[in-house]
Amino acid sequence: MKKYYSTVVQELGVQVHAFKEARMLILFNENAPKELREYCVLHCGNKLEDTVRAGDVFCLGKEEYRIVFVGSEVQKNLRDLGHITLRFNGNEEGESLEGSLYLESKGVADVKVGDEIAIYRP
């Protein structure tokens, strides 16, 4: 597999785990606006070298998820801001929120500081 995106978790906002019940996480680079920080998984080293596509593999720590749908603004937002919403619902309802990356429907990993976030092309 070819890794084309990599970053490292630096901080977890105090409200991050509240979103796990809704099967979603919000990523933002370390420059996230103050009013959003408490809701985000904050990361640094945001390096994107290819286009995110359905069928690729998203890794959160040791957990892997197949990407099932890529919102139209994911590429730009991830590259420029490190900011996307991860939805762990398999896109079962056919949503297409622009800034969301839809992952296969399985449990949300327990993310922690120091974890790598990566995207691979199989």
Side-chain angles (χ1 to χ4, degrees):
M1 290 198 302
K2 174 192 166 204
K3 179 173 25 176
Y4 64 87
Y5 177 75
S6 180
T7 189
V8 177
V9 176
Q10 295 296 304
E11 182 182 337
L12 299 174
V14 295
Q15 296 295 325
V16 164
H17 295 293
F19 286 102
K20 283 181 71 174
E21 289 180 28
R23 296 170 55 185
M24 63 188 254
L25 290 175
I26 301 169
L27 302 182
F28 219 120
N29 71 20
E30 70 273 13
N31 296 324
K34 185 178 178 182
E35 61 274 9
L36 298 179
R37 293 181 76 83
E38 69 182 276
Y39 304 104
C40 297
V41 174
L42 301 162
H43 59 91
C44 73
N46 193 52
K47 187 174 180 184
L48 180 63
E49 298 174 340
D50 205 338
T51 302
V52 182
R53 298 182 191 155
D56 289 350
V57 177
F58 184 90
C59 296
L60 184 57
K62 293 181 180 13
E63 291 293 323
E64 294 185 355
Y65 302 86
R66 186 176 47 84
I67 297 171
V68 297
F69 185 81
V70 181
S72 63
E73 292 295 315
V74 164
Q75 188 72 25
K76 179 183 182 311
N77 290 351
L78 188 58
R79 182 189 64 236
D80 296 347
L81 305 170
H83 173 49
I84 58 172
T85 300
L86 303 173
R87 297 183 183 274
F88 300 82
N89 63 8
N91 200 21
E92 293 156 356
E93 296 183 16
E95 294 179 328
S96 61
L97 297 173
E98 295 172 346
S100 290
L101 186 62
Y102 294 86
L103 306 171
E104 69 181 291
S105 182
K106 69 184 215 187
V108 180
D110 286 325
V111 62
K112 56 190 177 305
V113 172
D115 280 350
E116 181 185 32
I117 297 171
I119 304 175
Y120 292 87
R121 174 118 342 107

